[in-house]
Amino acid sequence: MTEAWKQAFARVPELLAAHVQISVSALVLAMLICLPLAIWASRAPKVATFTLAIASLIQTIPGLALLALFYPLLLGLSALIGGGISAFGFLPALLALTLYALLPILRNAVTGLAGVDPAVAEAADGLGMTQSQKLYLVEAPLAAPIIMAGIRTAAVWTIGAATLSTTVGQPSLGDLIFAGLQTQNWTLVLTGCLFSALLAISVDLLLGLIEMGIRKRRKIFVWTGMAIIAAGLMVATLPLMIARDNVVVIGAKGFSEQYILARLIGSRLEEAGYTVRYRDGLGSAVVYQALSEGDIDVYVEYSGTIWTNQMERTDSQPKAAMLQTIAQWTSSNHGVKMLGELGFENTYAFAIRPADAREKTLKTLDDLARVSSDFNFGTDVEFLERPEWQMVQDAYPIRFKDARSFSPTFMYPALASGEVDVISAFSSDGRIAANNFVVLEDPRGAIPSYEAIMLLAPDRSSDDKFVAALNPLVGAITVEVMREANYMVDRKDDKKTSRQAARWLNEKLRE
């Protein structure tokens, strides 16, 4: 087995445990909501119509959108009641997945209970049964196979959708899938998909065994299925029950450089005696909020992102003044400590093919504005909604023919293949030089400085051991070294994992 497979499989137990935890919690909560509601709805057609319509409407919303919606909702609710509600991790994932599981359980439960033969119901009434007795002794047993079929469907949907919970900071097998997609590490993608599929198939088969036992009135099947599920649940969640001291959670956004830097930081903290966990694939707003609330302990941010996204500044300052202002703002407003800059900048850089640069004499963004109506624009998934894009448009009369969003991994192939004509690249990305792309100058200074800075959560700011372990990284990484490390992960041939690139970078810094 290669090192890539070993590293992927080594992450499975903990991520599988977290995946099981969130999936089972959401499924159980959905059942607790749906089953009483189904009893009411089966006896009141108007209630059934209304509840099924709402559940169907929720089902039309993509799972990723549901997760994204709960983040600002929980933030607003927390602010309204004075704090205490986390918009990061387990809670938003639980709420979104629960809603996603409602429809199949509710629909099948209503159908099963409403579909009981009227003659059987009348016979129960003739025997003098109360409504409760009729429900538990007659209707529920007859409807149980149909209800179980709905639960099976909901279970498979929930386990699949749980991979998306990575985006709001809840660990899952999706961590492997998202990291693999961003770095084109198909070993990670296949591992995440494989274990997610195996989990869904196993749960479906076991619930099917229970369903068959209910339908054929064979209690042995029911108890066997339930026993295996209970045993599997205990084994799968065992990694979460093991107490760990000095656990540090390191955050990372969804591109190669962030994965590498997170592993670099992790290696330094492990050497200092900490146990490390990673929360990968987080959005800019989510990761900073998680840090300020202590849900993660440290991550690498970029000065321009804090300046525009968090501080909502549209002006420009010299680098030193900007960094000082950011450090004061993060500390006074959120208790977040800026440990220092790492030594390189990773700013947005408009890149084009060298042939276009020569033929159309393109050197600056002013030149690009002249031909932009003939160009297709490719960006990462955030850029078009970021303040920086508006700042560029305010400074230059750029109006592209079309604009498309890509995962950062796929922007560069899209430019090389001619699918787009210009991309919002990252200046520390090794693929710019590898493809001979030309980076256009920004003579009007529309794009702010993007120095890589290390931010610490409030509780870690006073941890001397923690700070001492990370201080050697401050000012130690040049942009040339970072580009080389990034390209190790992003290239097609002799590709390295983010952990291998971080190990190389760590050794380079010690030379």
Side-chain angles (χ1 to χ4, degrees):
M1 182 181 292
T2 65
E3 184 176 354
W5 283 105
K6 289 179 180 178
Q7 290 184 8
F9 274 64
R11 297 184 62 189
V12 167
E14 186 173 325
L15 294 177
L16 177 62
H19 200 106
V20 169
Q21 182 190 46
I22 189 63
S23 300
V24 171
S25 299
L27 187 62
V28 170
L29 183 56
M31 291 167 60
L32 292 175
I33 294 171
C34 287
L35 296 181
L37 191 59
I39 294 171
W40 182 24
S42 66
R43 288 161 170 71
K46 290 184 179 180
V47 173
T49 300
F50 177 76
T51 55
L52 287 172
I54 295 298
S56 298
L57 178 62
I58 292 171
Q59 197 65 43
T60 64
I61 304 173
L64 189 58
L66 273 180
L67 287 160
L69 286 172
F70 271 108
Y71 177 75
L73 288 176
L74 290 173
L75 276 182
L77 180 60
S78 183
L80 188 64
I81 65 174
I85 297 177
S86 176
F88 179 82
F90 185 81
L91 183 58
L94 173 66
L95 296 176
L97 293 175
T98 297
L99 290 180
Y100 203 64
L102 291 180
L103 180 61
I105 300 176
L106 184 61
R107 177 180 288 166
N108 279 47
V110 170
T111 301
L113 291 171
V116 173
D117 192 335
V120 175
E122 290 176 7
D125 291 333
L127 292 173
M129 289 186 180
T130 64
Q131 288 297 317
S132 297
Q133 289 174 327
K134 185 167 68 172
L135 173 64
Y136 292 112
L137 297 176
V138 178
E139 294 174 322
L142 291 174
I146 299 176
I147 296 173
M148 280 300 303
I151 293 173
R152 288 177 66 183
T153 301
V156 173
W157 286 4
T158 303
I159 291 170
T163 57
L164 300 175
S165 62
T166 293
T167 56
V168 292
Q170 167 60 29
S172 73
L173 293 168
D175 287 24
L176 298 172
I177 297 171
F178 277 88
L181 286 173
Q182 297 299 342
T183 62
Q184 296 191 64
N185 185 334
W186 308 121
T187 300
L188 290 179
V189 175
L190 289 173
T191 302
C193 292
L194 173 65
F195 280 93
S196 179
L198 287 175
L199 178 61
I201 292 170
S202 299
V203 170
D204 183 56
L205 290 175
L206 291 171
L207 290 176
L209 181 64
I210 296 172
E211 179 188 341
M212 183 174 66
I214 293 172
R215 187 173 63 252
K216 295 185 176 181
R217 301 185 183 277
R218 299 286 299 274
K219 291 184 179 180
I220 184 64
F221 292 162
V222 175
W223 287 112
T224 298
M226 292 178 64
I228 296 175
I229 288 175
L233 185 60
M234 290 181 62
V235 171
T237 56
L238 187 61
L240 298 176
M241 300 176 186
I242 299 173
R244 295 185 179 183
D245 298 325
N246 293 329
V247 174
V248 173
V249 180
I250 303 173
K253 301 183 187 182
F255 53 96
S256 302
E257 181 171 287
Q258 285 276 306
Y259 296 133
I260 295 169
L261 291 173
R263 271 67 190 172
L264 174 64
I265 291 171
S267 67
R268 295 285 177 132
L269 291 172
E270 285 173 342
E271 291 174 5
Y274 293 93
T275 299
V276 172
R277 292 177 179 168
Y278 299 96
R279 297 289 178 269
D280 296 328
L282 305 176
S284 296
V286 173
V287 68
Y288 182 80
Q289 184 70 27
L291 183 82
S292 65
E293 295 182 357
D295 291 314
I296 64 175
D297 296 292
V298 57
Y299 84 104
V300 174
E301 187 52 277
Y302 303 94
S303 55
T305 300
I306 296 292
W307 190 258
T308 56
N309 281 26
Q310 306 301 329
M311 299 173 65
E312 299 181 350
R313 297 280 293 264
T314 57
D315 59 318
S316 182
Q317 287 188 2
K319 183 184 78 171
M322 176 185 285
L323 290 173
Q324 184 178 2
T325 303
I326 289 172
Q328 293 172 347
W329 183 85
T330 57
S331 178
S332 60
N333 286 274
H334 303 106
V336 170
K337 179 176 181 176
M338 190 183 87
L339 188 60
E341 54 183 305
L342 296 181
F344 71 93
E345 183 181 21
N346 185 6
T347 189
Y348 282 106
F350 285 74
I352 60 175
R353 291 182 294 273
D356 287 334
R358 290 191 303 270
E359 292 172 9
K360 302 182 186 315
T361 318
L362 304 179
K363 296 181 179 180
T364 70
L365 292 181
D366 279 314
D367 298 330
L368 178 64
R370 172 171 46 84
V371 298
S372 60
S373 60
D374 297 324
F375 273 22
N376 291 315
F377 185 35
T379 79
D380 65 88
V381 294
E382 290 186 15
F383 185 73
L384 293 176
E385 306 302 325
R386 290 177 64 90
E388 293 92 329
W389 173 227
Q390 186 60 52
M391 293 163 68
V392 170
Q393 289 182 302
D394 291 342
Y396 303 96
I398 294 177
R399 298 295 181 269
F400 290 111
K401 180 170 62 175
D402 186 32
R404 297 175 59 188
S405 295
F406 297 85
S407 161
T409 299
F410 302 116
M411 281 197 307
Y412 299 90
L415 178 59
S417 67
E419 192 169 344
V420 296
D421 304 297
V422 57
I423 60 172
S424 56
F426 306 108
S427 61
S428 62
D429 199 309
R431 287 170 291 189
I432 294 177
N435 288 280
N436 294 316
F437 293 148
V438 175
V439 174
L440 301 177
E441 297 176 8
D442 175 21
R444 305 188 190 187
I447 302 174
S449 172
Y450 277 82
E451 296 294 326
I453 55 178
M454 195 163 13
L455 300 181
L456 309 185
D459 289 345
R460 294 296 182 181
S461 301
S462 57
D463 186 339
D464 293 337
K465 179 182 174 183
F466 189 90
V467 171
L470 299 181
N471 256 331
L473 298 178
V474 175
I477 307 175
T478 65
V479 69
E480 291 79 13
V481 171
M482 194 68 243
R483 283 173 182 162
E484 192 171 350
N486 286 336
Y487 193 55
M488 287 180 176
V489 174
D490 294 326
R491 65 194 181 199
K492 293 181 179 179
D493 300 323
D494 192 25
K495 191 178 184 64
K496 306 298 183 184
T497 67
S498 54
R499 189 176 296 277
Q500 290 172 319
R503 189 181 304 137
W504 173 88
L505 181 55
N506 200 18
E507 292 172 356
K508 192 79 173 176
L509 298 180
R510 295 184 190 277
E511 292 179 354

